[in-house]
Amino acid sequence: MIFTDLIEKKKRGGELTEREIKFFVESVCSGSVPDYCISAFLMAVVLKGMTFNETLALTLCMRDSGEILRKGEIKGVCVDKHSTGGVSDSTTLIIVPVCAVLGLKFAKLSGRGLGYTGGTIDKLESFRGFNAQLSEGEFTRIVNETGGAISGHTAQTVPADKKLYALRDVTCTVDSIPLIASSVMSKKLASFADVIVLDVKYGSGTFMKTAESAEELAGIMVEIGKAAGRKVSAAVTSMNCPLGNSVGCNAEMRGVIDVLKGAENDLAALSKFLAVQILACAGWDKKEAEAACENAISSGAALNKLKEIVRAQGGDAAALDDPELLRYGKYKREIICDKGGFINKIDGEAIGRANVITGGGRRKKDDAIDHESAVLLHLRTGDETRRGSVLATVFSNDEGSLDDAVRMIQGAFYVSDVPPEKEILIHKLIV
Ligand code: URA
């Protein structure tokens, strides 16, 4: 087979066979074709799309390009979740302990943050000593012993995605439904979860700008999961306002602790919704699942479970008893509202970018981050504000970065004379 024939066929909108897709993935992994050929193929996919059968074949070939984790000794229903990414999205850190308390086995492979979106692993590293690079044996042992473990992907899982994602990132070929679906689902299917619940975001700072495109992506991922023999469902949710009230590792960890102590906000609502969905896919009655989730939180069991998981992974869990130990940067500035009205929108991407400027996010994959960098939002979309009200506070250990961050956060708040239409957090559930 000749690689350029594949580019030509896709350029003309043809449907590739399974053999051709296998050849594509093998060529990517073996390094036998130059990056410019792979990039041309990716752009042809962006422009011409892929049929469901092509997308499924691509997903399975990518999954098979590396190590596949085995369920091994883990007993019981194994569950997993995935969010397509957003600012201040800490739902995993609430859902994992809640589901573990209720008897599920949560084997979560997570990533680090890149750019303006945060990463679950970075947030967990707010606990000194936390080990996010568990071996397969440690991972399964901790899942068995505590009910949950959260670890980074190994270099051996889905190498095809690592290569393709790095190229997509620099060739404007990320925002393609078949490419996102195969990238996400190849990683989910390389692990052993029986149940997978997806949170597909749309709005500011996400790949899908509209609810309709997010719905299409969600539908394809659910079908891929089912074709691979897993129980999969997907929530389509809005990111037109950051999910929690804070951005930055220590600040978001404090937000998680608040929810595990009973706070009610968007982060709590979405976390409980997704946890109930996971339990329902695992065979629970929905009403019973809702009551059990509430009880896991109100009894303090979920917070205790998070302590147990952090300790099992080598972390110092003292901050879960005393959140003040999760410090903020030593310099702080307030962002003051310059006119009265109603907050119509908060641009999550701009808030996330301000956190990168102050040291809380990465510009490049291997950058170190400052866990103490934080943006606290005091008002949310829909709230009334006055000239002089404090919209947000930003903290950093890098005083020189604060002017730029303040400007960026100020620009993230859209204030108008009329209140906005009520934003729907959970748009749709696809099962
Ligand atoms: N997340 C992924 O893992 N892959 C994509 O292509 C987009 C978001």
Side-chain angles (χ1 to χ4, degrees):
M1 229 177 268
I2 299 170
F3 195 89
T4 46
D5 289 348
L6 302 190
I7 306 176
E8 187 65 34
K9 187 168 174 183
K10 193 34 78 186
K11 184 181 85 179
R12 295 181 185 284
E15 183 178 28
L16 301 172
T17 64
E18 255 181 71
R19 260 190 75 236
E20 285 168 329
I21 287 179
K22 191 158 183 273
F23 174 70
F24 166 70
V25 174
E26 281 169 1
S27 306
V28 168
C29 292
S30 67
S32 61
V33 286
D35 287 356
Y36 52 79
C37 286
I38 301 170
S39 304
F41 178 87
L42 292 170
M43 188 56 86
V45 173
V46 171
L47 299 176
K48 295 293 178 178
M50 274 186 158
T51 62
F52 177 74
N53 284 342
E54 286 176 299
T55 311
L56 176 62
L58 179 60
T59 308
L60 299 181
C61 290
M62 285 169 69
R63 173 198 66 184
D64 295 341
S65 67
E67 191 176 272
I68 297 186
L69 294 179
R70 282 162 294 106
K71 190 166 170 181
E73 297 296 301
I74 297 181
K75 313 231 164 22
V77 184
C78 256
V79 300
D80 194 2
K81 76 166 273 284
H82 181 85
S83 155
T84 53
V87 175
S88 190
D89 181 352
S90 310
T91 55
T92 294
L93 297 162
I94 297 161
I95 296 170
V96 171
V98 166
C99 289
V101 164
L102 299 176
L104 299 181
K105 295 289 187 327
F106 219 122
K108 178 80 180 86
L109 291 176
S110 283
R112 290 183 189 280
L114 182 61
Y116 57 85
T117 62
T120 301
I121 297 289
D122 294 322
K123 293 172 207 173
L124 281 164
E125 285 176 350
S126 293
F127 303 107
R128 206 160 23 89
F130 186 87
N131 176 13
Q133 285 308 321
L134 301 175
S135 67
E136 193 175 339
E138 287 167 328
F139 188 56
T140 52
R141 177 181 60 75
I142 296 173
V143 172
N144 258 335
E145 285 174 7
T146 69
I150 304 172
S151 185
H153 290 274
T154 68
Q156 290 79 37
T157 45
V158 198
D161 183 61
K162 291 190 180 72
K163 168 92 191 198
L164 287 174
Y165 199 86
L167 274 180
R168 288 168 60 208
D169 205 22
V170 291
T171 55
C172 304
T173 52
V174 171
D175 55 346
S176 145
I177 287 180
L179 295 181
I180 296 176
S182 54
S183 165
V184 169
M185 291 308 291
S186 60
K187 287 176 288 207
K188 292 291 106 183
L189 298 178
S191 187
F192 43 71
D194 308 297
V195 164
I196 301 164
V197 170
L198 305 164
D199 179 7
V200 182
K201 307 278 190 198
Y202 65 90
S204 162
T206 70
F207 299 119
M208 298 291 115
K209 297 301 172 207
T210 63
E212 291 68 34
S213 56
E215 234 178 87
E216 188 184 341
L217 172 62
I220 290 171
M221 292 199 288
V222 167
E223 288 312 312
I224 290 173
K226 286 183 184 165
R230 313 290 179 96
K231 280 216 164 96
V232 188
S233 67
V236 177
T237 68
S238 166
M239 262 298 298
N240 282 329
C241 180
L243 199 48
N245 295 327
S246 43
V247 176
C249 287
N250 284 0
E252 288 180 51
M253 245 1 279
R254 284 200 196 190
V256 165
I257 297 168
D258 286 346
V259 171
L260 291 176
K261 286 184 171 166
E264 295 291 349
N265 51 31
D266 282 359
L267 177 62
L270 182 58
S271 302
K272 289 179 203 170
F273 178 85
L274 294 171
V276 167
Q277 199 45 41
I278 291 169
L279 288 157
C281 285
W284 282 58
D285 168 77
K286 267 207 175 162
K287 282 268 163 282
E288 286 176 16
E290 276 166 16
C293 284
E294 291 294 346
N295 189 46
I297 293 175
S298 62
S299 65
L303 183 58
N304 284 334
K305 181 57 78 178
L306 184 58
K307 284 181 209 167
E308 199 184 329
I309 294 171
V310 168
R311 288 194 189 112
Q313 294 193 223
D316 174 356
L320 289 169
D321 288 318
D322 181 6
E324 299 277 312
L325 294 172
L326 296 162
R327 293 188 205 295
Y328 296 157
K330 54 179 181 282
Y331 303 105
K332 97 172 183 184
R333 294 274 291 276
E334 288 180 336
I335 290 85
I336 308 294
C337 191
D338 53 13
K339 67 171 187 178
F342 295 88
I343 297 172
N344 269 240
K345 180 180 146 186
I346 303 176
D347 179 351
E349 181 172 340
I351 304 279
R353 287 193 191 283
N355 186 50
V356 175
I357 290 175
T358 54
R362 292 187 181 82
R363 293 185 168 94
K364 294 193 303 307
K365 199 165 127 291
D366 296 321
D367 284 350
I369 58 166
D370 185 350
H371 287 70
E372 297 184 359
S373 177
V375 183
L376 309 185
L377 305 176
H378 305 305
L379 294 174
R380 297 190 61 77
T381 303
D383 285 347
E384 192 169 1
T385 180
R386 295 208 181 93
R387 187 181 159 86
S389 300
V390 181
L391 297 170
T393 310
V394 56
F395 296 82
S396 176
N397 288 314
D398 173 11
E399 194 176 14
S401 67
L402 283 174
D403 281 347
D404 283 348
V406 167
R407 256 194 303 280
M408 198 162 253
I409 298 167
Q410 191 104 46
F413 282 83
Y414 292 72
V415 178
S416 147
D417 294 340
V418 283
E421 275 180 33
K422 186 148 176 45
E423 183 67 45
I424 299 167
L425 177 62
I426 299 159
H427 171 76
K428 196 163 192 171
L429 179 69
I430 298 175
V431 290

